[in-house]
């Protein structure tokens, strides 16, 4: 099985920087690239700040922080990703853009480099179809925030070689994550199962049975979830999760149980995305959720 030591990450947003953090902490050589140079800069500062906090709390030693910093390098163009054993893309959730990126990468990386997509909802088989070697393409679906959500889905597309999935299973364990293997079906496991709680939560709010924050409270306190559906939507951010809901609905040929809600549609249109821009279902001050008065 291919040993993965150098990991390139394309997309330095919420997901890319989290993947970069855990990979560097595990001693992998990391190359972080984004089309937007400011995003790479912000990601590096963000990850360094996390490591400083972990050191202050005694959860990392100064030597471990120095070693992790040395492992995390930034790249200013795609050509610099040539040494990668694995490229994980965490860019915008659009099939044509992801396909275009993988086609470009195939011209740069080695013949046995694995190309993985962190897509939440797009078909791995469809992403891979644009590549000359679709057998090297797999889904690699982390959750937000990556360092805390210690599970990851490894998804085999119809043409993915089993060894590629095996290599991703192994590198996940190297990084302290628990990998779960899934087939290429809309929403894989989590975004398929998770529809139930999100969609019913939105329906309960739409039917005015209870306000959103009370629905969250009961799902947390009584049902035992770490977050309620609206807290989770705010964390994931509606610019990501609303298109995901629409995509999964379409891919299941408009199956009613997956139908997205007009509540998220209107909030998506109004850019009330969530935590990341300060207002979603809740408002956020200094990153802290405010309960409605
Ligand atoms: P984000 O919006 O925080 O970051 C995306 C980054 O990709 C941006 O910095 C942007 O400049 C960059 N980018 C866009 N197009 C690019 C290109 N062609 N080449 C290089 N860089 C490019 O997005 P986020 O939340 O990190 O999501 C990224 C991917 O991960 C999406 O496919 C999303 O569906 C998936 N995902 C998101 C989760 C979440 O909770 N936010 C959870 C699991 C998966």
């Amino acid at each position: 099985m291919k040993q993965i030591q150098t990991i390139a990450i394309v997309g330095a947003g919420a997901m890319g920087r989290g993947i970069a953090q855990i990979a560097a902490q595990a001693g992998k050589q990391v190359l972080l690239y984004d089309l937007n140079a400011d995003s790479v800069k912000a990601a590096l500062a963000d990850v360094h700040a996390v490591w400083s906090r972990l050191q202050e709390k005694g959860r990392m030693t100064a030597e471990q922080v120095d070693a992790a910093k040395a492992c995390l390098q930034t790249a200013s163009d795609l050509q610099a990703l040539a040494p990668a054993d694995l490229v994980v893309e965490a860019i915008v959730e659009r099939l044509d853009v992801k396909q275009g990126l993988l086609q470009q990468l195939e011209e740069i990386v080695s013949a046995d480099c694995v190309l993985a997509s962190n897509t939440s909802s797009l078909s791995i088989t469809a992403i891979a179809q644009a590549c000359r070697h679709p057998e090297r393409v797999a889904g690699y679906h982390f959750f937000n925030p990556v360092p805390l959500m210690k599970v990851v889905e490894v998804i085999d597309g119809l043409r993915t070689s089993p060894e590629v999935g095996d290599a991703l299973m192994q590198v996940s364990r190297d990084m302290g994550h628990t990998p779960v293997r899934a087939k290429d079906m809309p929403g894989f496991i989590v975004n398929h199962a998770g529809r139930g709680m999100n969609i019913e939560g939105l329906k309960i709010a739409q039917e005015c049975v209870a306000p959103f924050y009370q629905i969250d409270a009961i799902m947390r306190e009584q049902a035992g979830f770490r977050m309620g559906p609206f807290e989770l939507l705010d964390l994931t951010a509606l610019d990501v999760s609303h298109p995901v809901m629409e995509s999964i609905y379409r891919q299941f040929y408009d199956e009613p149980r997956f139908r997205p809600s007009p509540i998220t549609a209107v909030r998506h249109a109004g850019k009330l995305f969530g935590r990341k821009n300060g207002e979603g279902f809740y408002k956020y001050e200094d990153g802290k959720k405010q309960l409605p008065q």
Side-chain angles (χ1 to χ4, degrees):
M1 193 206 313
K2 185 178 171 59
Q3 293 298 311
I4 290 172
Q5 187 50 35
T6 300
I7 303 180
I9 296 157
V10 183
M15 298 305 291
R17 62 187 68 179
I19 302 165
Q21 182 191 325
I22 61 163
Q25 280 176 217
K28 304 291 178 188
Q29 296 303 313
V30 180
L31 296 164
L32 181 60
Y33 169 76
D34 196 294
L35 210 50
N36 176 352
D38 289 343
S39 190
V40 178
K41 249 193 233 163
L44 195 65
D46 196 29
V47 174
H48 282 192
V50 171
W51 285 332
S52 297
R53 284 200 297 278
L54 290 175
Q55 190 183 336
E56 276 161 29
K57 289 181 184 163
R59 288 167 51 197
M60 279 177 90
T61 63
E63 292 72 31
Q64 286 170 328
V65 169
D66 288 345
K69 281 184 180 168
C71 284
L72 176 52
Q73 304 297 318
T74 59
S76 52
D77 56 36
L78 279 180
Q79 290 297 333
L81 310 186
D85 301 313
L86 160 67
V87 182
V88 183
E89 74 74 17
I91 64 166
V92 62
E93 184 77 344
R94 273 186 41 195
L95 180 62
D96 57 339
V97 183
K98 288 188 190 290
Q99 285 178 330
L101 172 68
L102 265 49
Q103 280 173 332
Q104 274 181 283
L105 285 167
E106 272 198 311
E107 303 303 319
I108 295 169
V109 297
S110 65
D112 63 348
C113 174
V114 172
L115 300 178
S117 172
N118 188 47
T119 180
S120 309
S121 66
L122 300 170
S123 159
I124 302 307
T125 308
I127 294 173
Q129 177 272 338
C131 290
R132 277 189 286 116
H133 293 287
E135 66 281 2
R136 62 153 94 185
V137 179
Y140 201 26
H141 185 213
F142 286 89
F143 302 96
N144 189 11
V146 178
L148 301 182
M149 305 295 280
K150 292 199 173 286
V151 71
V152 56
E153 290 175 320
V154 172
I155 303 117
D156 295 281
L158 289 184
R159 291 202 170 83
T160 309
S161 126
E163 292 75 35
V164 163
D166 293 347
L168 290 177
M169 297 292 283
Q170 184 53 51
V171 73
S172 309
R173 294 188 193 101
D174 295 348
M175 297 190 293
H177 267 49
T178 301
V180 175
R181 198 106 173 216
K183 292 276 184 333
D184 186 18
M185 284 295 280
F188 318 128
I189 303 171
V190 171
N191 276 330
H192 185 159
R195 286 317 85 204
M197 181 162 104
N198 274 351
I199 288 171
E200 286 308 321
L202 286 158
K203 278 189 182 148
I204 292 168
Q206 199 179 335
E207 289 162 7
C208 300
V209 178
F212 69 89
Y213 56 92
Q214 288 184 0
I215 302 169
D216 275 347
I218 209 147
M219 294 308 286
R220 244 187 296 108
E221 305 303 330
Q222 198 284 327
F225 287 90
R226 199 184 280 177
M227 286 182 206
F230 300 91
E231 290 163 329
L232 187 58
L233 285 167
D234 271 7
L235 177 68
T236 306
L238 279 190
D239 58 332
V240 174
S241 59
H242 181 72
V244 165
M245 289 190 255
E246 290 187 321
S247 163
I248 292 174
Y249 176 59
R250 277 196 305 273
Q251 290 179 72
F252 276 111
Y253 297 104
D254 299 1
E255 194 167 313
R257 69 189 162 122
F258 297 120
R259 183 175 295 141
S261 165
I263 296 181
T264 53
V266 75
R267 289 176 161 270
H268 178 253
K271 297 195 187 312
L272 296 165
F273 292 150
R275 240 174 217 284
K276 83 189 287 187
N277 67 343
E279 185 169 6
F281 288 97
Y282 298 90
K283 286 191 174 148
Y284 297 86
E285 274 172 29
D286 298 328
K288 286 214 172 63
K289 184 182 85 182
Q290 308 295 307
L291 275 180
Q293 299 300 315

